[in-house]
Amino acid sequence: MADEDFHCGDSGASFTYPMQCSALRKNGHVMLKGRPCKIIEMSTSKTGKHGHAKVHLVGLDLFTQKKFEDICPSTHNMEVPNTTRKDYQVCNVDCDGFLSLMNDNGDTREDLKVPDNNLGEEIRKKFDDGENFLVTVLKALNEECVVGIKTLT
């Protein structure tokens, strides 16, 4: 018994949970091809001779914006990612493209990069102009990225 090592553990919370395919909705989230996606299109076919109505799902990867498609019987379960959104105040944008962010408790983090898209350009411009603003960080499956900006009033 003394040989066993229990140096790490987690809460047992899962990164995903099951949901019946027919209960999924447009603009919701679902796992497609192993990636967390936002549902952008959804259509249901009629019950065929093999007995199941099929749901055709089209989704965009939450982090890469890559398009994924899948077809699933409406009575089957699909995995839905547990996602969280958190707002952080931007303290600094360094020359390597990393953000220095502060949460409500005053804790800082410097592990997120400025996105390589229009949002990233907007973040750099607002920071260079000396504006105070928040960024919204989306987390799913231990991946995080900046998905939005809010101006502080």
Side-chain angles (χ1 to χ4, degrees):
M1 271 282 221
D3 300 356
E4 296 174 23
D5 184 15
F6 296 106
H7 69 276
C8 69
D10 57 31
S11 64
S14 177
F15 294 124
T16 62
Y17 60 93
M19 183 183 274
Q20 191 168 345
C21 201
S22 59
L24 296 170
R25 294 289 171 254
K26 190 174 174 181
N27 294 326
H29 297 126
V30 69
M31 295 294 292
L32 297 175
K33 309 282 192 250
R35 296 293 300 160
C37 295
K38 179 178 182 177
I39 301 168
I40 57 170
E41 278 181 48
M42 214 175 141
S43 60
T44 307
S45 67
K46 291 183 179 176
T47 305
K49 69 178 184 180
H50 296 293
H52 288 289
K54 301 270 194 296
V55 177
H56 177 243
L57 296 165
V58 179
L60 286 179
D61 188 304
L62 294 175
F63 303 109
T64 65
Q65 301 305 307
K66 191 175 171 189
K67 190 185 268 190
F68 291 97
E69 293 187 51
D70 201 2
I71 296 175
C72 176
S74 63
T75 56
H76 287 202
N77 282 346
M78 294 207 56
E79 292 296 312
V80 176
N82 283 314
T83 58
T84 57
R85 288 175 176 269
K86 206 168 195 181
D87 289 338
Y88 293 92
Q89 184 170 354
V90 176
C91 301
N92 191 20
V93 179
D94 69 16
C95 56
D96 296 333
F98 281 92
L99 293 164
S100 178
L101 305 172
M102 183 171 64
N103 67 9
D104 295 340
N105 302 336
D107 299 328
T108 59
R109 61 183 290 186
E110 297 176 348
D111 59 340
L112 286 175
K113 273 193 153 288
V114 176
D116 294 329
N117 55 21
N118 294 344
L119 183 65
E121 291 172 20
E122 191 178 342
I123 290 170
R124 288 183 197 278
K125 184 179 182 321
K126 282 182 176 284
F127 182 74
D128 291 342
D129 292 345
E131 292 183 41
N132 284 335
F133 62 99
L134 300 173
V135 291
T136 302
V137 175
L138 181 69
K139 180 177 180 178
L141 299 175
N142 272 347
E143 272 187 75
E144 292 180 295
C145 76
V146 177
V147 295
I149 296 177
K150 294 179 185 171
T151 305
L152 278 174
T153 52

